[in-house]
Amino acid sequence: MESLDANGWARLFGACRESACHLEMRDTYAVQEEAADFEEWRAGRWGPAEAAESWASWLDLMRKTSTRGVRLRRARIVSEPVTDYIRFEHEGTPLNIAAGEDVRWLPRTRASGLALPGNDFWIFDGATVLFNHFTGDGGWIGNELTTDPEVAKLCADAFESVWALAVPHSEYTLV
């Protein structure tokens, strides 16, 4: 298992020509880079301005990628009622959208008939998959990169099935 740094992410998105799709399936993430932001949000001291500052490098990478014509899509499968972490993500999502991502939400109860990989992933141009691995409590432990055509097809099909059922961010109401 590897761990991508900012340069690794930039290389993946820089090599991408048509599409980058991200499927998130956890209700809670406890990644170290977001811990302080999440705690500030829970305390009522974090909003769009703080998010824009904290996420500046990611948002810049998304803007650069979308400006090149790459279609960026993110789908989130969530349990309802949603966790505090999902509320935190939802509040910051307009920044992702402004940077060029299209974001949709799928209530987990509507995903029962879907065949899904066991881990969150990014799929680039339908051919390169980057799995994100987490601990049971949501801590990030690393990435796994594959270009196996069968795995890429599984992930591409899974993403498209979620996307077809998911609700656009502008229409999704937190429960």
Side-chain angles (χ1 to χ4, degrees), residues 91-155:
E91 188 173 317
T93 297
L95 294 170
N96 296 85
I97 293 168
E101 290 186 49
D102 191 0
V103 180
R104 292 188 183 182
W105 302 82
L106 180 63
R108 192 170 309 280
T109 55
R110 295 183 56 205
S112 297
L114 302 179
L116 301 169
N119 295 291
D120 290 10
F121 64 86
W122 278 94
I123 183 163
F124 300 91
D125 294 332
T128 301
V129 179
L130 180 73
F131 288 106
N132 293 311
H133 294 289
F134 298 91
T135 62
D137 63 0
W140 183 77
I141 56 174
N143 304 107
E144 177 185 355
L145 191 63
T146 183
T147 56
D148 180 312
E150 290 180 18
V151 173
K153 181 175 179 0
L154 169 75
C155 291

Side-chain angles (χ1 to χ4, degrees), residues 8 20-21 30 38 44 51 70 87-88 96 114-115 118 130 133 135 159 167:
C21 302
F38 184 55
V70 174
R87 290 182 186 287
F88 166 72
N96 296 85
L114 302 179
L130 180 73
H133 294 289
T135 62
F159 183 86
V167 178

Side-chain angles (χ1 to χ4, degrees), residues 1 10 18 20 27 37 59 65 68 70 73 85 92-93 101 103 107-108 114 126-127 133 138-140 165 172:
M1 194 168 328
E18 296 176 9
D27 289 317
D37 290 345
L59 296 171
T65 304
R68 291 188 296 105
V70 174
R73 295 185 292 163
Y85 185 85
T93 297
E101 290 186 49
V103 180
R108 192 170 309 280
L114 302 179
H133 294 289
W140 183 77
L165 295 174
Y172 181 69

